[in-house]
Each structure stands twice: as structure tokens, then as C-alpha cells.
Amino acid sequence: MKDNFKREINYLRISLTDRCNLRCIYCIPQEGVPLKPHEEILRLEEIIHLVKVAADVGISKVRLTGGEPLIRKGIVNLVRVLSKIPGIDDLAMTTNGILFPRFGPELKEAGLTRVNLSLDTLKPERFREITRGGDWEQAWKGVETALELGLAPVKLNAVIMRGTNDDEIMDFVELTYKYPLHIRFIEYMPIGEHSGWEERKLVTQQEMLGQIEKQYRVQPVMGIRGMGPAKYYNLEGSRGSLGFISPLSSCFCAYCNRLRLTADGRLRPCLHSTQELNLRDCLRSGASNQELAELFQTAIKGKPERHTMNEEGWKGRARFMQQIGG
Ligand code: SAM
């Protein structure tokens, strides 16, 4: 279905839980965030119900995220059911990969089509600092598992922060010569109060690409499955590719095709806007599928033309990334 700005909205990102097994410095404040009681989080059968309704209004791609989706009990069965919903032809996941060696094979067999793994550094000690205690080897085993399972294209998400990991841009580029990995450099966004964001820590796409082009021949590329808003580039002789997600330096809202469902069942037309529709309470109070479909349509029609992150930062927005679903 098209929104008011002629964008085809066919993609739903679902935060399965607001809980995470890591504490990334840019995502979760040191003291953690108040977690929602279990009864406020959507039950698995509620998620399935809402995805069926979403498919009826034209959603064909679903991404499971969080929090950490792999700590949600029943994840394999959820994937099994979601992957069979008529109209859903792409079921992907974004994970930190720590638990992927354990769940990956079953998830693939259950119908997971693709996986994006978040990995911001190739240095174990730095990983411990960025994630406040995570084990890099475990996360890397997650990447290896995804590659072995052939869940192609395997994308690696790296949030680049000046003074933290911006010295590793070339190391990530090198990785695409060793493995068929699609590296996606993500601009550090001001999301969640106290996330530590400062403008000076932002490394823009232009700056990263400028550095890379000094050493490598890069060519813009089209047509990688699940491309979304990232801009992709091929590197001569490489087995993978590079992508940039640059919401701050080159706003891609004109190509936005997504809605987000928060862990507590709110439908958000835009990551940055505070607008939310409470699907959970409607569902629990017996709304019909027709009424739920109308809420999806309202969200689609209510999508703002663009985010205002550059102008407003995260000011006054109560939520954190892991509640909304990154
Ligand atoms: N736990 C899973 C993971 O680590 O991939 C899924 C949730 S995580 C919130 C999803 C994505 O959001 C990650 O790739 C993470 O890097 C990104 N993210 C979180 N906070 C961010 C920020 N302030 N700026 C840019 N990306 C951010």
C-alpha cells in the first residue's frame, strides 16, 4: 500500500523483546533502561496475528529485531509460523550473533531467509568495551555460522563512532576480500536519551567513502536483495560489498518502505517520530481483523515525509532503540 508521499510500504520491523544480552554504549545507557513487565510485551500468538493482518495490507517483508531477538523464548517456532504466512516472502533478522551458532541451523530450517549481524569492531578488547562485557569470539562465531549456512547475503552492521572505532573502517573493507560479507557502515544516530551521542562523534558516509576511495576502486551497485535504504558499492576484486546507512548526512526518507512494531505492540510509522498506534490494546480488547487492518492503513497514511533527527536529535522522546527495534 502507498503512503501519502507515494512510497510503497511493504516492510515491517518487529522488536520481539526490549531485553538484550549486550549493553552497547550507543544503544543502552550504563544503568540500563526500565524494562516492560512481561504482560505488556506482545505474546508470540499476538505477533503472528498482527503479521497476518499486516500481510493483508501489503506487508511482504518482515524483520525480527529487538532488543536481542534470539533471547526471546520460542523464536524458532515463531519463525516457522511467520515464514508460512501467505504474502510474507522475506523473513529476516537483525542480531548481535552471540546466540546464532546455537539457533542458526534451526532458524534456517524453520524458514529464516536472511540475517544481519551487528559487529562494530574486529578487536576483542574493544568489543568488550563497546558492548560493556561482550565476548567478540562468540559474536564472530555467529558471523561464521551465518556464512556456513549460506544465509546470503550476510550483512554486517557496524556503527562507526569517531574516537571509538573509526580507525577500523579499512579493516572492515579488507574483510570483504576474505569473506562474502556485505558491510554496512551505519552513521551514529542520536537515539535514546543519554546515548552519549555528540555531533563530533558522527562520521558521515562522505567521510568514510572518501577514506576508502583513497585506497580502493569503488563502484555504486544496484540490486542486492533486501537493499533497503543503504547505498551499496562494489569493490574491485572483493567477495562482498560495502553499504552506507546515512540517515543524518544523506536522508533516505524518500525511499523509506517500513513500519515498526515495538515490543509492547505499538505501531510506529517512523523510527524518529513519536507517533504510535496501540495495536496491542486493540487486539486484546477484541478488535476485528478489519479494525486492525485499518490501524495499519492509518499508520501508513500517517508516515511523515522525513525524520527531523538533524534538527531535533532525540529530545523529549521517551523510547530507546531496543524497545523500538533497531
Ligand atoms: N540486538 C540486535 C543487534 O544487536 O543487532 C538487534 C537490535 S539493535 C538495537 C539493531 C541495530 O540498531 C544494531 O545494528 C545497532 O547497531 C543499531 N543501533 C542501535 N543504536 C544505534 C545508534 N544510536 N545509532 C546507529 N545505530 C544504532
Side-chain angles (χ1 to χ4, degrees), residues 14 16 19 52-53 61 99 107 127 134 138 157 186 206 214-215 235 242 286-287 314:
I14 305 176
L16 293 184
R19 286 152 171 82
K52 284 181 181 158
V53 174
K61 294 168 60 160
L99 294 172
L107 287 169
F127 186 80
Q138 279 183 349
N157 289 350
I186 304 181
Q206 290 77 354
K214 282 189 190 144
Q215 287 188 38
L235 289 152
L242 298 182
W314 201 251

Side-chain angles (χ1 to χ4, degrees), residues 13 20 26-27 65-69 94-96 116-118 120 157 159 186-191 195 321-322 325-326:
R13 295 174 72 100
C20 192
Y26 52 81
C27 190
T65 176
E68 173 48 42
T94 298
T95 167
N96 58 39
N116 288 11
L117 296 125
S118 304
D120 306 310
N157 289 350
V159 178
I186 304 181
E187 285 182 354
Y188 182 18
M189 292 181 272
I191 291 182
S195 70
M321 189 69 144
Q322 85 269 24

Side-chain angles (χ1 to χ4, degrees), residues 281-293:
D281 287 356
C282 293
L283 183 61
R284 289 186 185 173
S285 59
S288 66
N289 284 357
Q290 178 57 36
E291 285 164 328
L292 292 169

Side-chain angles (χ1 to χ4, degrees), residues 46-325:
E46 291 174 328
I47 294 172
I48 293 164
H49 189 148
L50 291 175
V51 172
K52 284 181 181 158
V53 174
D56 286 341
V57 297
I59 296 293
S60 58
K61 294 168 60 160
V62 170
R63 176 170 296 278
L64 305 175
T65 176
E68 173 48 42
L70 293 179
I71 62 174
R72 180 76 199 246
K73 283 208 181 73
I75 179 71
V76 175
N77 274 332
L78 177 69
V79 165
R80 201 181 304 287
V81 178
L82 293 182
S83 69
K84 295 195 176 70
I85 293 178
I88 302 301
D89 54 32
D90 190 22
L91 180 60
M93 178 179 283
T94 298
T95 167
N96 58 39
I98 299 281
L99 294 172
F100 203 70
R102 185 162 130 207
F103 289 108
E106 278 183 277
L107 287 169
K108 181 177 181 190
E109 178 271 322
L112 189 74
T113 22
R114 291 183 297 118
V115 67
N116 288 11
L117 296 125
S118 304
L119 190 73
D120 306 310
T121 175
L122 302 175
K123 300 181 188 219
E125 186 49 43
R126 188 174 277 178
F127 186 80
R128 223 183 321 278
E129 285 162 23
I130 293 179
T131 60
R132 299 200 184 93
D135 179 347
W136 185 88
E137 301 290 341
Q138 279 183 349
W140 182 252
K141 280 199 187 104
V143 177
E144 288 179 330
T145 305
L147 289 170
E148 280 158 20
L149 290 171
L151 281 166
V154 179
K155 295 182 189 165
L156 219 64
N157 289 350
V159 178
I160 301 299
M161 296 159 283
R162 196 179 313 283
T164 301
N165 61 351
D166 56 327
D167 56 344
E168 291 188 66
I169 293 172
M170 294 305 172
D171 299 338
F172 278 110
V173 174
E174 272 303 305
L175 213 53
T176 72
Y177 286 86
K178 287 199 197 121
Y179 305 95
L181 283 172
H182 300 272
I183 310 292
R184 307 202 317 172
F185 292 115
I186 304 181
E187 285 182 354
Y188 182 18
M189 292 181 272
I191 291 182
E193 293 284 356
H194 319 299
S195 70
W197 188 88
E198 292 171 56
E199 195 164 358
R200 66 177 181 85
K201 294 188 192 167
L202 170 68
V203 185
T204 63
Q205 169 185 334
Q206 290 77 354
E207 188 180 337
M208 291 189 247
L209 196 57
Q211 263 189 48
I212 296 166
E213 279 175 327
K214 282 189 190 144
Q215 287 188 38
Y216 296 89
R217 281 174 64 132
V218 296
Q219 284 267 320
V221 61
M222 299 296 289
I224 290 181
R225 186 160 173 224
M227 257 178 110
K231 288 205 181 93
Y232 276 95
Y233 294 84
N234 264 339
L235 289 152
E236 208 173 61
S238 140
R239 302 174 66 191
S241 69
L242 298 182
F244 296 89
I245 301 198
S246 321
L248 293 166
S249 71
S250 50
C251 172
F252 45 67
C253 298
Y255 306 101
C256 185
N257 59 349
R258 59 194 57 183
L259 297 175
R260 292 168 193 263
L261 184 60
T262 66
D264 59 347
R266 269 55 171 185
L267 191 60
R268 269 177 95 98
C270 164
L271 170 65
H272 189 244
S273 143
T274 50
Q275 222 184 320
E276 291 183 347
L277 295 171
N278 187 343
L279 291 193
R280 183 200 64 199
D281 287 356
C282 293
L283 183 61
R284 289 186 185 173
S285 59
S288 66
N289 284 357
Q290 178 57 36
E291 285 164 328
L292 292 169
E294 280 164 18
L295 289 173
F296 273 97
Q297 286 156 356
T298 305
I300 292 172
K301 289 293 175 197
K303 259 182 90 67
E305 186 171 15
R306 58 179 295 272
H307 72 70
T308 51
M309 221 179 266
N310 299 61
E311 299 84 347
E312 293 177 45
W314 201 251
K315 226 179 312 150
R317 288 163 171 77
R319 285 192 183 271
F320 291 87
M321 189 69 144
Q322 85 269 24
Q323 297 170 322
I324 304 170

